[in-house]
Amino acid sequence: MFGIVRPCSHRLGEGLKTQWMAHLCGLCLALRGDHGQFARVVTNYDGLLISVLTEAQAERTTGWRRTAGPCPLRGMRTASVAQGEGARLAAAVSLVLASAKVRDHVADKDGLLARRPVALAARRVAASWGRAGARTGSDVGFDTAVLVDAVDRQVGIEALAGPGTPLLTVTEPTETATAAAFAHTAVLAGRPGNAEPLAEAGRLFGRLAHLLDAVEDRETDAASGAWNPLTATGTPLVEARRLADDALHGIRLALREVEFTDGKLAHLLLAHELGRSVDRAFGTSGCGHQAHADDARGAFGPPQHGGPYNPQSPQSPHDGQNPYGGGGNPFGGAPSFPPPGPGRRGFWAGCAAAIGVCCTCKVCCADEFEGPWSRRRREGCLGNCDCDCSCCEACEICECCSCCDCGL
């Protein structure tokens, strides 16, 4: 599961969470239905935006949902999932872009892909995904050649980029690809007047996706020697943040020009959650939590959180002493410590635990669950909350909320 728009279930609320899961499952099932089980691995958070935008513009009919059969990731429960041309377009775009992502990793010789047999197999999978995406795109009237052309141009642009190259020159192919995909949702929904503002929103979303990916991978790329647009062009984080904020503002303005039938989920994802994605990538606080701003290390450094159970916090009820040892031991004697955590499970015990985790829906819907083998804390698909959720209703409302009646 990859993508930059990863909403927290606490902020979505029950109704929008159900809708979001319907599109996520719909994308997954569209991939399986057209391209087989293995294609489901390219299911991603950003691809479902295509399905969300298509349905948000369309007139309400009975053909946009169907009841899917039991799935281990839903605790073997049935569910209402998105279907139709929006989900298929999302599947086509996801396949083509995943194909490009695999080829990029092969070119960078990342991990096991540095080995020739693995790289050869990965290239074959990427080529298969590219052809499959083109077929599905053609079925819904979308020419994926614009995506393939963008990927091919990206390689050439990166090869020529160097210090002083404008960063937006590097992000342009991604912008062009996402603009085309977003605009086609207006065609599928029967609202051609929305194509222009959605193309603008898609162009800026592509810019943001490229920028945030570069920011998040900057240190890893530097350690491995992989190509990174920020490092290659000499762009500082301050400038990258300015470009990201400008793109976010442009998306919000573009959404004002789009005529939606029901745009609540699309608005929340693109106007609100996208802003939190920017904050998350740059290590700044989101959701209006400015109380931690003074604790940040540097302009974009991670915040230093204090709390009543942090021994170094001025709010600590233990006056700086470890509550589990030293002067905090109510029985005197040697310092006491909390009992060690549980050890790793064996292979077969871990397999049994993994089946239990899947069949109880924890992987997909739980805020957190215990890793089957490591027994470490893991976050569910909707459990990646970047706030304490105690003040979400009091978040600062952005200036674009007047564009719809979503109440956000």
Side-chain angles (χ1 to χ4, degrees), residues 221-310:
D221 290 343
S224 63
W227 194 90
N228 185 283
L230 299 180
T231 305
T233 60
T235 304
L237 280 179
V238 173
E239 175 63 11
R241 179 63 193 250
R242 184 188 68 79
L243 292 172
D245 287 340
D246 286 349
L248 181 62
H249 182 65
I251 290 172
R252 290 169 173 171
L253 292 179
L255 288 178
R256 292 185 177 185
E257 307 301 321
V258 180
E259 184 179 353
F260 288 115
T261 300
D262 181 0
K264 292 181 181 180
L265 181 59
H267 179 86
L268 183 142
L269 295 177
L270 288 171
H272 293 269
E273 292 300 331
L274 196 54
R276 295 186 177 101
S277 298
V278 172
D279 289 326
R280 182 168 57 243
F282 285 93
T284 54
S285 59
C287 197
H289 296 170
Q290 300 304 317
H292 300 302
D294 295 336
D295 297 327
R297 292 199 304 262
F300 303 115
Q304 298 293 316
H305 296 286
Y309 298 102
N310 181 348

Side-chain angles (χ1 to χ4, degrees), residues 39-56:
R40 300 170 81 175
V41 302
V42 308
T43 303
N44 65 95
Y45 295 123
D46 293 344
L48 68 87
L49 288 173
I50 302 297
S51 179
V52 169
L53 285 171
T54 304
E55 187 175 285

Side-chain angles (χ1 to χ4, degrees), residues 3-372:
I4 62 173
V5 183
R6 305 190 293 271
C8 165
S9 58
H10 300 84
R11 289 192 296 261
L12 283 175
E14 196 60 36
L16 293 182
K17 176 183 174 181
T18 300
Q19 289 186 40
W20 191 84
M21 287 298 299
H23 288 285
L24 183 63
C25 292
L27 170 57
C28 181
L29 293 174
L31 286 165
R32 185 198 67 179
D34 288 343
H35 310 292
Q37 290 284 358
F38 185 67
R40 300 170 81 175
V41 302
V42 308
T43 303
N44 65 95
Y45 295 123
D46 293 344
L48 68 87
L49 288 173
I50 302 297
S51 179
V52 169
L53 285 171
T54 304
E55 187 175 285
Q57 300 170 75
E59 295 296 332
R60 286 292 167 263
T61 64
T62 58
W64 290 98
R65 289 283 191 274
R66 72 177 179 88
T67 300
C71 174
L73 294 181
R74 292 194 299 268
M76 299 307 295
R77 295 191 298 268
T78 60
S80 176
V81 302
Q83 67 169 350
E85 293 183 331
R88 299 190 71 201
L89 175 61
V93 172
S94 296
L95 280 167
V96 174
L97 296 184
S99 170
K101 195 176 186 73
V102 170
R103 290 200 299 270
D104 183 57
H105 285 307
V106 171
D108 291 340
K109 298 181 178 180
D110 292 337
L112 290 175
L113 295 176
R115 300 180 180 180
R116 183 170 297 180
V118 179
L120 179 61
R123 287 193 187 97
R124 290 179 178 175
V125 170
S128 174
W129 282 348
R131 291 191 297 269
R135 289 195 304 270
T136 300
S138 177
D139 290 344
V140 296
F142 180 66
D143 186 2
T144 58
V146 66
L147 307 183
V148 176
D149 175 69
V151 171
D152 292 340
R153 286 190 298 108
Q154 187 74 54
V155 176
I157 289 173
E158 290 181 359
L160 297 175
T165 301
L167 188 58
L168 297 187
T169 300
V170 180
T171 63
E172 181 275 326
T174 307
E175 296 177 20
T176 301
T178 50
F182 272 46
H184 196 68
T185 65
V187 177
L188 295 182
R191 293 188 184 269
N194 287 343
E196 185 175 349
L198 282 175
E200 176 67 5
R203 182 180 68 83
L204 295 173
F205 180 84
R207 178 183 301 178
L208 259 182
H210 203 133
L211 283 173
L212 300 191
D213 183 65
V215 171
E216 291 178 342
D217 293 346
R218 191 169 61 102
E219 294 183 359
T220 303
D221 290 343
S224 63
W227 194 90
N228 185 283
L230 299 180
T231 305
T233 60
T235 304
L237 280 179
V238 173
E239 175 63 11
R241 179 63 193 250
R242 184 188 68 79
L243 292 172
D245 287 340
D246 286 349
L248 181 62
H249 182 65
I251 290 172
R252 290 169 173 171
L253 292 179
L255 288 178
R256 292 185 177 185
E257 307 301 321
V258 180
E259 184 179 353
F260 288 115
T261 300
D262 181 0
K264 292 181 181 180
L265 181 59
H267 179 86
L268 183 142
L269 295 177
L270 288 171
H272 293 269
E273 292 300 331
L274 196 54
R276 295 186 177 101
S277 298
V278 172
D279 289 326
R280 182 168 57 243
F282 285 93
T284 54
S285 59
C287 197
H289 296 170
Q290 300 304 317
H292 300 302
D294 295 336
D295 297 327
R297 292 199 304 262
F300 303 115
Q304 298 293 316
H305 296 286
Y309 298 102
N310 181 348
Q312 304 303 321
S313 170
Q315 303 173 3
S316 174
H318 306 289
D319 297 325
Q321 297 181 17
N322 185 340
Y324 297 107
N329 183 357
F331 304 104
S336 59
F337 298 93
R344 292 176 57 87
R345 288 190 179 94
F347 176 76
W348 294 112
C351 288
I355 294 173
V357 167
C358 289
C359 290
T360 54
C361 200
K362 289 184 177 180
V363 170
C364 190
C365 302
D367 289 340
E368 61 180 66
F369 61 93
E370 185 183 81

